[in-house]
Amino acid sequence: MQKVHSDIMTFRGSHYDLGVETGKWMKTTKLMQNREKEWKKRLPRFDIDVNETHAIFQQYAPQIWEELMGMREVLELPIRQIVFNFAHYRFTPIKKDSGCTVFLGDNYLVRNYDYHPATYDGRYLLYEPNDGGLAQIGPTSRVTGRMDGLNSAGLAMGYNFMHRKHPQDGFVCYMIGRLILELCRDTDEAIRLLKEIPHRSSFSYIMMDKHNQHAIVEVTPRGLDVRYDRTCTNHFKLLTHENRNYTKESKARLAKTLKQTDIHMDKMKAFEVFNDPQYEIYSKLFSSWSGTIHTSMYQPETMKAWISLGENQTPVCIDFNQWLNHNELDITSLHGEIDTDIAFASE
C-alpha cells in the first residue's frame, strides 16, 4: 500500500490570477517533468491548432483562456505547449480504457474515479471567480479540468468513459466537466451545453442539481441521448450501437451496484459501498488504467462535498456554502492509501 496525498487549494479572484497561482503550485511539484516523460514514452495521437483553440474558447469560455495565459506567464512556456498540455481541445485519443461508477441517491451523487495514478494531479480546488463563471469545488484533472465537482448554483457533475473509437475534433472529457461546472446552473442547462459543444470522445455525463433533477447524458462525437437513470458504469444503455466490443466487466460492476444500492439509501452507507473493496465496486486495477483513486460525493441541496483518497477511508466533508461565505478551510491536504506503487503525476 502506498500513502498518497492531495493538496487542497482555495482561490478567489480572476481566472488569469488563478492561472498564476496554479503555475506557482505546479513549480513546487514534478507535474511538468512527469508529463514530459509520459509524452516521450507514448506519441500523442492528436494535434492542436492554437488559433482555432483560442477561437473556441472565446465562443464558450473566454475566462478559461485567460487562466491559461496566467499559467503561461509563470511557467514561461510557449503558447503552443500551454495549449497542448492544458487547453484540452484536440484534433485528429491518448485515453486508455478506464472504469468509474456513479450512483444517484435521492439527493446526492456518489462516484468512484477509476484511472491511472500517474495521470492524477493530486490537487483539490475551491475556486470563486470574480470575472464571470460559477464557483466550483472538486478535484482537478490535467490541471485545468474537472472529473467531478459541485458549483455555486448547486449543480453536481461526474463523467464515465465509454470508448475511444472514432474520435473527432472537440473538447476532451475533463474540460467538458469544467465547462459544465463553470457555465451551467442546473441539469437542463448542462444538457443544452452538451448538445452544443463539440466532443472529442464518447462519455456519459451525470448531473444532479439543487432541485434533485438529474440526468445521464450519453455522448459521442456523432450525437447524444439522455436517460433519467440513477446508475452508470462504462457502457451506453441508449446508444448501444456505439458501445465498445467488451462490456462484460462494466455490466458486471453495474449489476453489483444495482444489487447493493437503492434510491433511499443513506448517503454515508452509499459512500462506504463505493469505497470499501469488499463490496466489489472499488477497483484495484491500477496498472490497467482502472483503479479507484478517489471516491467523491456531492449533496447539491446542502452544498456539501465529501472525498477520500484510496480505500476504506473516512471521507473529508467540506461545506462549500460556508467557504463561499468566506469561512476559510482548516485543512490543506487529503491523505489516503492506494494498493499500487505508481505515483501521482505531481509527485
Side-chain angles (χ1 to χ4, degrees):
M1 298 290 282
Q2 176 192 185
K3 293 186 183 298
V4 291
H5 83 280
S6 177
D7 295 329
I8 297 177
M9 177 178 170
T10 64
F11 189 76
R12 308 177 199 270
S14 72
H15 284 74
Y16 183 91
D17 289 341
L18 172 64
V20 169
E21 290 303 308
T22 297
K24 291 177 181 177
W25 171 78
M26 289 176 64
K27 293 181 84 168
T28 70
T29 75
K30 296 181 179 179
L31 197 148
M32 281 305 296
Q33 298 96 305
N34 289 336
R35 193 156 177 80
E36 288 171 3
K37 288 178 184 177
E38 285 298 309
W39 289 135
K40 288 178 181 178
K41 287 191 293 185
R42 52 192 175 93
L43 184 67
R45 287 183 286 174
F46 63 89
D47 199 359
I48 62 166
D49 183 300
V50 172
N51 291 332
E52 187 160 342
T53 303
H54 175 263
I56 203 79
F57 272 97
Q58 297 314 299
Q59 180 179 354
Y60 291 107
Q63 305 97 322
I64 296 178
W65 184 264
E66 292 304 308
E67 183 177 326
L68 297 174
M69 295 305 98
M71 293 171 60
R72 182 190 183 197
E73 177 178 312
V74 174
L75 297 175
E76 298 179 325
L77 294 173
I79 183 63
R80 182 174 176 82
Q81 194 168 350
I82 290 289
V83 170
F84 179 83
N85 282 289
F86 307 118
H88 310 311
Y89 187 84
R90 295 175 178 170
F91 299 82
T92 75
I94 61 170
K95 191 165 179 70
K96 303 274 187 174
D97 291 352
S98 62
C100 297
T101 307
V102 176
F103 169 66
L104 297 165
D106 57 356
N107 62 357
Y108 62 86
L109 181 157
V110 61
R111 68 107 84 202
N112 279 353
Y113 178 68
D114 301 348
Y115 203 38
H116 196 284
T119 69
Y120 196 73
D121 289 2
R123 185 175 67 138
Y124 191 88
L125 176 64
L126 289 75
Y127 174 46
E128 184 178 26
N130 63 8
D131 58 348
L134 297 163
Q136 309 139 43
I137 179 175
T140 65
S141 180
R142 307 308 202 286
V143 182
T144 53
R146 299 273 194 180
M147 72 280 282
D148 55 69
L150 173 71
N151 69 22
S152 52
L155 178 66
M157 177 283 308
Y159 61 67
N160 285 5
F161 170 69
M162 294 293 125
H163 68 72
R164 52 193 174 92
K165 300 184 297 182
H166 312 302
Q168 294 183 14
D169 299 352
F171 290 110
V172 297
C173 53
Y174 26 91
M175 183 52 72
I176 293 172
R178 169 76 181 275
L179 292 173
I180 290 171
L181 294 174
E182 182 101 6
L183 303 175
C184 302
R185 304 188 68 86
D186 57 32
T187 297
D188 287 342
E189 286 190 8
I191 294 171
R192 288 197 294 270
L193 177 70
L194 289 169
K195 289 179 177 179
E196 181 181 351
I197 61 176
H199 295 268
R200 172 73 175 158
S201 299
S202 299
F203 282 79
S204 286
Y205 295 87
I206 304 97
M207 283 79 62
M208 174 181 279
D209 63 30
K210 64 182 179 182
H211 304 295
N212 296 328
Q213 299 299 311
H214 63 88
I216 299 172
V217 185
E218 300 185 356
V219 175
T220 79
R222 291 156 292 284
L224 87 177
D225 209 340
V226 183
R227 59 185 172 98
Y228 297 92
D229 204 350
R230 293 188 175 271
T231 52
C232 187
T233 51
N234 304 105
H235 62 280
F236 290 134
K237 287 188 175 181
L238 300 178
L239 303 179
T240 54
H241 61 284
E242 285 275 3
N243 278 331
R244 48 186 163 169
N245 294 329
Y246 182 78
T247 59
K248 181 179 178 180
E249 188 279 332
S250 176
K251 291 178 177 178
R253 188 161 21 92
L254 177 63
K256 292 171 186 174
T257 304
L258 289 168
K259 183 178 180 179
Q260 298 175 100
T261 58
D262 68 78
I263 184 175
H264 301 301
M265 188 176 195
D266 175 76
K267 62 182 180 296
M268 300 316 298
K269 180 61 180 179
F271 195 98
E272 177 189 344
V273 168
F274 271 59
N275 192 239
D276 187 337
Q278 71 168 314
Y279 296 100
E280 299 184 321
I281 297 173
Y282 183 98
S283 171
K284 298 192 180 188
L285 300 175
F286 294 101
S287 61
S288 299
W289 293 70
S290 57
T292 301
I293 300 175
H294 75 243
T295 302
S296 55
M297 183 166 65
Y298 303 97
Q299 190 171 40
E301 64 180 4
T302 65
M303 297 291 285
K304 290 183 177 179
W306 292 259
I307 188 166
S308 68
L309 291 178
E311 63 185 85
N312 282 328
Q313 297 291 315
T314 300
V316 171
C317 177
I318 298 177
D319 188 324
F320 192 35
N321 253 344
Q322 289 292 313
W323 184 78
L324 291 172
N325 289 324
H326 293 266
N327 295 296
E328 300 304 328
L329 301 186
D330 58 3
I331 54 173
T332 59
S333 59
L334 305 167
H335 298 270
E337 292 185 335
I338 57 176
D339 194 7
T340 178
D341 58 0
I342 303 170
F344 287 176
S346 56
E347 297 180 350

